[in-house]
C-alpha cells in the first residue's frame, strides 16, 4: 500500500487553497494530507487544510527555522512548501532532510540572487536575458534624475521596492499636481512626483527603490518546474492583457525563462515574469516560489502542484507538457469558508484515523472572498 503524503504550506497566499485542492485531486490517486500555518486565524488556507496551527508572532528568521523544524518533526511532514522566511529555511535544508522533510524550494544561492531586484537584473543580464533600464534610488535627487532621464526618452516612470513581492509598493509617477481627480473613483497607483520628492526629503527612514519605465502588456508569467539536476521539466506561460488571460508556449517567453531557471538552479517551482519594452520582451520579476495563479494551469490539463511534490519526493515526473492550451479566460472572486476564530479545529496528535476533511468542518459563520479562475468564452 502506498503511504500518504503529508504536505505543509506556511503563511501562504489565499489563492493557494487551489494548490491544496489540486494536491488532493492528484492523478496518482495518492492520499495527501495538508498542514497549514498562518498568522491570521481568518486565512482561508487554514480552513482548507486538514490540520492547522496559528504561527507565533515576531519570530526572527532563526527562531522561525526552529519553529519550522519542530512542526516538521511533530507533524510528520514529508514535503514543506515554504514562503515566509524562505531564505532562512533553505539554508538549513540538511536539518530538514534529517527530520525526514523535503523542501519544495530552490537552494539558498538561487534564493539569494532574486531577493534583491538589482542583483537579479545584473545577474540575469549577464546570461543574456534582456532587462529594462533601471535606476537604484535612495534619495530625492536620485529619484528626480531617474525620472527626468526616463521622461526625456519618452517613457513613463514607475517605482517599486528593490526587494518585495506581490506588487506591494508599486507606483507610477505623474507630473500632474494632486487634485480632486486623485480622489475620484477607486484608489490609483499614480502618485504626483512633487509629493514623492517631498516625502523623501522629510523621511526619517531610508528607502531602497527601483525606478524603471512603465512596461507594456502583455504580461507573461512562465511557471517552471526544475529538477535538482537543473533541467526544466515544465515551462508554460500564462498571459495577461487587461482582463483577458490565456496561455502560451511561444519560445520568445519560454526560452529566456528556461535559461534563468536552469542557469540559476531554480529548483522545484518558480515563476518568471516578462513584459514588453518596445518590441522586446524583458524580465520584470522572478519568484522563487509557486505563483498564486499556478492552479490556472489546470485549464491546460496540468496538475503542477502534484508534479512538484513528486519531484520533491525524488519521483521524477518526467516532462510535464500541456495536452492542450485552455481557452482565454478571466479571473473572478468567490467565497471560501472560514474556520471559527477561536482555535482552528485539527486532528488530535494521537489520532491514527483519517483526518477530518475540510468540507466536514462545522459551518462557519462567515466567508472570505478570494480569487478563483474560471474559463469564460470571450
Amino acid at each position: 500500500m502506498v503511504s500518504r503524503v503529508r504536505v505543509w504550506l506556511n503563511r501562504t497566499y489565499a489563492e493557494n487553497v487551489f494548490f491544496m485542492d489540486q494536491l488532493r485531486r492528484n492523478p496518482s490517486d495518492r492520499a495527501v494530507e495538508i498542514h497549514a500555518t498562518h498568522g491570521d486565524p481568518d486565512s482561508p488556507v487554514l480552513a482548507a487544510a486538514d490540520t492547522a496551527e496559528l504561527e507565533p508572532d515576531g519570530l526572527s528568521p532563526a527562531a522561525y527555522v526552529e519553529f519550522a523544524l519542530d512542526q516538521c518533526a511533530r507533524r510528520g511532514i514529508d514535503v514543506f512548501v515554504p514562503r515566509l522566511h524562505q531564505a532562512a529555511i533553505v539554508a538549513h535544508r540538511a536539518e530538514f532532510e534529517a527530520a525526514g522533510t523535503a523542501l519544495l524550494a530552490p537552494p539558498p544561492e538561487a534564493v539569494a540572487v532574486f531577493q534583491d531586484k538589482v542583483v537579479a537584473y545584473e545577474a540575469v543580464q549577464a546570461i543574456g536575458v534582456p532587462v529594462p533600464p533601471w535606476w537604484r534610488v535612495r534619495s530625492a535627487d536620485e529619484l528626480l534624475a531617474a525620472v527626468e532621464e526616463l521622461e526625456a526618452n519618452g517613457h513613463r516612470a514607475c517605482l517599486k521596492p528593490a526587494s518585495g513581492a506581490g506588487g506591494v509598493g508599486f507606483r507610477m509617477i505623474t507630473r500632474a499636481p494632486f487634485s480632486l481627480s486623485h480622489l475620484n473613483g477607486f484608489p490609483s497607483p499614480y502618485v504626483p512626483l512633487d509629493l514623492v520628492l517631498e516625502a523623501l526629503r522629510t523621511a526619517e527612514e531610508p528607502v531602497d527603490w527601483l525606478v524603471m519605465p512603465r512596461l507594456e502588456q502583455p504580461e507573461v508569467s512562465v511557471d517552471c518546474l526544475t529538477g535538482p539536476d537543473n533541467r526544466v521539466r515544465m515551462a508554460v506561460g500564462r498571459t495577461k492583457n487587461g482582463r483577458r488571460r490565456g496561455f502560451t508556449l511561444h519560445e520568445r517567453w519560454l526560452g529566456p525563462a528556461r535559461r534563468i531557471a536552469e542557469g540559476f538552479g531554480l529548483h522545484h517551482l518558480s515563476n518568471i515574469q516578462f513584459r514588453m519594452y518596445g518590441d522586446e520582451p524583458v524580465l520584470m520579476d522572478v519568484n522563487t516560489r509557486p505563483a498564486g495563479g499556478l492552479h490556472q494551469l489546470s485549464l491546460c490539463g496540468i496538475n503542477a502542484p502534484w508534479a512538484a511534490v513528486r519531484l520533491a519526493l525524488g519521483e521524477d515526473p518526467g516532462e510535464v507538457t500541456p495536452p492542450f492550451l485552455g481557452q482565454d479566460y478571466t479571473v473572478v472572486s468567490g467565497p471560501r469558508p472560514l474556520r471559527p476564530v477561536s482555535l482552528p479545529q485539527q486532528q488530535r496528535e494521537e489520532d491514527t484515523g483519517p483526518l477530518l476533511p475540510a468540507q466536514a468542518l462545522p459551518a462557519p459563520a462567515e466567508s472570505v472572498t478570494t480569487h478563483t479562475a474560471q474559463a469564460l468564452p470571450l
Side-chain angles (χ1 to χ4, degrees), residues 210-288:
L210 203 65
V211 175
M212 55 194 294
R214 169 67 173 167
L215 302 176
E216 300 303 323
Q217 294 184 331
E219 179 178 318
V220 178
S221 294
V222 182
D223 294 306
C224 292
L225 177 63
T226 308
D229 57 0
N230 291 344
R231 183 168 62 83
V232 171
R233 308 302 200 273
M234 178 195 79
V236 182
R238 290 182 285 113
T239 66
K240 181 166 66 173
N241 199 336
R243 178 170 287 183
R244 180 178 291 269
R245 304 192 179 203
F247 304 98
T248 181
L249 295 177
H250 199 291
E251 278 300 307
R252 76 185 310 202
W253 312 104
L254 270 55
R258 286 196 191 95
R259 200 178 314 161
I260 293 170
E262 294 178 346
F264 294 97
L266 290 177
H267 302 166
H268 305 292
L269 287 169
S270 61
N271 176 256
I272 303 170
Q273 301 170 359
F274 301 90
R275 272 194 175 226
M276 299 298 294
Y277 178 62
D279 296 328
E280 181 182 43
V282 294
L283 179 71
M284 184 169 69
D285 208 355
V286 174
N287 295 309
T288 60

Side-chain angles (χ1 to χ4, degrees), residues 88-131:
I89 288 165
V90 297
H92 292 266
R93 187 181 299 270
E95 294 171 52
F96 285 95
E97 290 177 349
T101 301
L103 296 182
L104 201 157
E109 300 80 11
V111 173
V113 169
F114 296 103
Q115 279 188 302
D116 185 301
K117 291 180 173 60
V118 170
V119 174
Y121 278 6
E122 290 174 341
V124 165
Q125 197 169 22
I127 65 168
V129 174
V131 301

Side-chain angles (χ1 to χ4, degrees), residues 328-341:
D328 285 359
Y329 64 101
T330 190
V331 173
V332 296
S333 297
R336 296 285 298 203
L338 291 179
R339 289 189 172 197
V341 174

Side-chain angles (χ1 to χ4, degrees), residues 19 43 65 207 267 299 366:
F19 187 103
S43 169
V65 170
V207 300
H267 302 166
L299 299 176
E366 304 177 36

Side-chain angles (χ1 to χ4, degrees), residues 24-90:
R24 293 192 178 98
R25 296 195 300 265
N26 67 80
S28 303
D29 200 26
R30 190 164 175 183
V32 175
E33 294 172 358
I34 299 173
H35 181 55
T37 59
H38 208 284
D40 179 3
D42 289 338
S43 169
V45 299
L46 296 181
D50 297 294
T51 61
E53 194 167 316
L54 291 175
E55 294 186 358
D57 289 328
L59 291 182
S60 67
Y64 193 90
V65 170
E66 293 302 317
F67 164 78
L69 285 166
D70 176 72
Q71 288 281 309
C72 290
R74 187 158 52 87
R75 296 287 186 176
I77 302 299
D78 299 301
V79 178
F80 177 20
V81 188
R83 189 201 66 81
L84 183 67
H85 293 312
Q86 185 191 64
I89 288 165
V90 297

